[in-house]
Short mmCIF file of all heavy atoms in Angstrom, two decimals:
data_model
loop_
_atom_site.label_atom_id
_atom_site.label_comp_id
_atom_site.label_asym_id
_atom_site.label_seq_id
_atom_site.Cartn_x
_atom_site.Cartn_y
_atom_site.Cartn_z
N GLY A 287 -27.19 -92.20 17.70
CA GLY A 287 -26.37 -91.06 17.29
C GLY A 287 -25.35 -91.36 16.21
O GLY A 287 -24.45 -90.56 15.98
N SER A 288 -25.51 -92.50 15.53
CA SER A 288 -24.51 -92.93 14.58
C SER A 288 -24.76 -92.42 13.17
O SER A 288 -25.89 -92.11 12.79
CB SER A 288 -24.47 -94.47 14.52
OG SER A 288 -23.98 -95.00 15.72
N ARG A 289 -23.69 -92.39 12.43
CA ARG A 289 -23.73 -92.10 10.99
C ARG A 289 -22.77 -93.05 10.30
O ARG A 289 -21.62 -93.22 10.75
CB ARG A 289 -23.33 -90.65 10.72
CG ARG A 289 -23.39 -90.25 9.25
CD ARG A 289 -22.99 -88.79 9.08
NE ARG A 289 -22.99 -88.39 7.67
CZ ARG A 289 -22.54 -87.21 7.22
NH1 ARG A 289 -22.08 -86.31 8.09
NH2 ARG A 289 -22.57 -86.93 5.94
N LEU A 290 -23.22 -93.72 9.25
CA LEU A 290 -22.41 -94.69 8.55
C LEU A 290 -22.35 -94.29 7.08
O LEU A 290 -23.39 -94.06 6.45
CB LEU A 290 -23.04 -96.08 8.69
CG LEU A 290 -22.22 -97.30 8.28
CD1 LEU A 290 -20.96 -97.43 9.12
CD2 LEU A 290 -23.07 -98.57 8.42
N LEU A 291 -21.15 -94.19 6.52
CA LEU A 291 -21.03 -93.71 5.15
C LEU A 291 -19.81 -94.30 4.46
O LEU A 291 -18.86 -94.74 5.11
CB LEU A 291 -20.96 -92.19 5.11
CG LEU A 291 -19.79 -91.48 5.78
CD1 LEU A 291 -19.66 -90.06 5.23
CD2 LEU A 291 -19.98 -91.39 7.31
N HIS A 292 -19.89 -94.33 3.14
CA HIS A 292 -18.75 -94.74 2.33
C HIS A 292 -18.09 -93.48 1.80
O HIS A 292 -18.68 -92.72 1.03
CB HIS A 292 -19.19 -95.62 1.16
CG HIS A 292 -18.04 -96.18 0.38
ND1 HIS A 292 -17.42 -95.47 -0.64
CD2 HIS A 292 -17.35 -97.34 0.49
CE1 HIS A 292 -16.42 -96.19 -1.12
NE2 HIS A 292 -16.35 -97.32 -0.46
N LEU A 293 -16.86 -93.25 2.24
CA LEU A 293 -16.11 -92.08 1.80
C LEU A 293 -15.55 -92.32 0.40
O LEU A 293 -15.33 -93.46 -0.02
CB LEU A 293 -14.96 -91.80 2.77
CG LEU A 293 -15.31 -91.60 4.23
CD1 LEU A 293 -14.03 -91.45 5.05
CD2 LEU A 293 -16.21 -90.39 4.42
N HIS A 294 -15.29 -91.23 -0.29
CA HIS A 294 -14.65 -91.35 -1.60
C HIS A 294 -13.29 -92.05 -1.47
O HIS A 294 -12.87 -92.77 -2.38
CB HIS A 294 -14.47 -89.95 -2.21
CG HIS A 294 -13.78 -89.96 -3.53
ND1 HIS A 294 -14.22 -90.69 -4.61
CD2 HIS A 294 -12.64 -89.33 -3.95
CE1 HIS A 294 -13.41 -90.51 -5.64
NE2 HIS A 294 -12.44 -89.70 -5.27
N HIS A 295 -12.61 -91.88 -0.33
CA HIS A 295 -11.29 -92.47 -0.13
C HIS A 295 -11.35 -93.80 0.60
O HIS A 295 -10.29 -94.37 0.92
CB HIS A 295 -10.38 -91.47 0.61
CG HIS A 295 -10.06 -90.26 -0.21
ND1 HIS A 295 -10.77 -89.08 -0.10
CD2 HIS A 295 -9.15 -90.06 -1.19
CE1 HIS A 295 -10.29 -88.20 -0.96
NE2 HIS A 295 -9.30 -88.76 -1.63
N ASN A 296 -12.54 -94.30 0.90
CA ASN A 296 -12.67 -95.67 1.40
C ASN A 296 -12.49 -96.66 0.27
O ASN A 296 -12.87 -96.39 -0.88
CB ASN A 296 -14.05 -95.89 2.02
CG ASN A 296 -14.17 -95.39 3.45
OD1 ASN A 296 -15.22 -94.87 3.85
ND2 ASN A 296 -13.12 -95.52 4.23
N LYS A 297 -11.98 -97.81 0.60
CA LYS A 297 -11.95 -98.94 -0.34
C LYS A 297 -13.16 -99.81 -0.02
O LYS A 297 -14.29 -99.32 -0.01
CB LYS A 297 -10.62 -99.66 -0.23
CG LYS A 297 -9.43 -98.76 -0.62
CD LYS A 297 -8.11 -99.46 -0.46
CE LYS A 297 -6.95 -98.51 -0.79
NZ LYS A 297 -5.63 -99.14 -0.56
N HIS A 298 -12.95 -101.12 0.22
CA HIS A 298 -14.06 -101.99 0.63
C HIS A 298 -14.26 -101.79 2.13
O HIS A 298 -14.01 -102.67 2.94
CB HIS A 298 -13.73 -103.44 0.30
CG HIS A 298 -14.90 -104.37 0.47
ND1 HIS A 298 -14.76 -105.73 0.55
CD2 HIS A 298 -16.24 -104.13 0.57
CE1 HIS A 298 -15.94 -106.29 0.70
NE2 HIS A 298 -16.85 -105.34 0.73
N GLU A 299 -14.70 -100.58 2.45
CA GLU A 299 -14.79 -100.12 3.84
C GLU A 299 -15.98 -99.18 3.98
O GLU A 299 -16.47 -98.61 3.00
CB GLU A 299 -13.53 -99.33 4.24
CG GLU A 299 -12.21 -100.00 3.97
CD GLU A 299 -11.03 -99.04 4.07
OE1 GLU A 299 -11.17 -97.86 3.67
OE2 GLU A 299 -9.97 -99.47 4.53
N LEU A 300 -16.40 -99.00 5.22
CA LEU A 300 -17.34 -97.93 5.57
C LEU A 300 -16.74 -97.15 6.74
O LEU A 300 -15.91 -97.69 7.50
CB LEU A 300 -18.71 -98.48 5.96
CG LEU A 300 -19.54 -99.15 4.86
CD1 LEU A 300 -20.78 -99.80 5.45
CD2 LEU A 300 -19.91 -98.15 3.78
#
Side-chain angles (χ1 to χ4, degrees):
S288 292
R289 182 180 178 187
L290 192 62
L291 63 161
H292 186 275
L293 303 176
H294 178 56
H295 293 96
N296 278 143
K297 297 177 183 177
H298 190 197
E299 309 166 323
L300 292 173

